[in-house]
Amino acid sequence: MITIIAAIDKKNALGNKNQLLFYLPADLKHFKALTTGHTIVMGRKTFESLPKGALPNRRNIVLTKHGRAEEFPGAEVFGSINEALASCQQKEEIFIIGGASVYQQALPLAQRLCLTEIDATAEEADAHFPTIDKNIWKEYTREEHAADDRNEQAFAFVNYLRQQQEQ
């Protein structure tokens, strides 16, 4: 299954200057719980934004047209999302973790969206998540969380499933 995982604000903003918009420890913990033991696919800039490089206990795949494998220690490198997905086993759980252009490419291929919808609007953002077509994607779970002493913004973990097209 291909799952897209992202944290977005009220206007679908993802990041600014290759950084997350909000610091939500609960979201980071949620991300780790969902992706550990699975394959994560990301663009070059997303990999470069990871403070310690490749994420442990996951198969890390980086998409780049110009990079060399040695530039991405602990990760496999592919030139396209189709090449990366072709390297995966049929039953492999695959998480697309960013950035914006990778989300755009993966959206038509994904079966599930795991979004952290943040109840705030970023002051500045230069990367946005694609528009979610509610005729294609149906919400199936929502877990609301209020702001607290560790998470400054209220947020919800929201899961969407792609609807089967009628024949």
Side-chain angles (χ1 to χ4, degrees), residues 31-106:
F31 174 90
K32 182 178 181 180
L34 288 175
T35 63
T36 295
H38 301 294
T39 298
I40 55 175
V41 177
M42 68 198 94
R44 175 188 53 83
K45 288 181 184 177
T46 298
F47 183 86
E48 290 170 350
S49 75
L50 299 174
K52 297 179 182 174
L55 296 177
N57 304 313
R58 283 157 270 211
R59 179 183 178 199
N60 288 248
I61 294 177
V62 176
L63 305 178
T64 181
K65 293 195 184 326
H66 306 291
R68 296 185 318 273
E70 58 268 15
E71 296 175 54
F72 306 98
E76 298 170 51
V77 178
F78 293 93
S80 74
I81 195 161
N82 290 332
E83 289 175 25
L85 295 176
S87 79
C88 297
Q89 301 295 317
Q90 189 169 0
K91 294 196 184 275
E92 203 166 338
E93 187 78 25
I94 303 162
F95 287 87
I96 308 297
I97 69 167
S101 67
V102 176
Y103 288 138
Q104 188 71 46
Q105 293 171 55

Side-chain angles (χ1 to χ4, degrees), residues 138-155:
K138 298 296 182 202
E139 181 179 317
Y140 74 97
T141 63
R142 173 177 288 269
E143 184 183 312
E144 301 276 348
H145 296 270
D148 59 28
D149 59 336
R150 292 190 32 91
N151 300 279
E152 291 185 20
Q153 290 78 24
F155 61 93

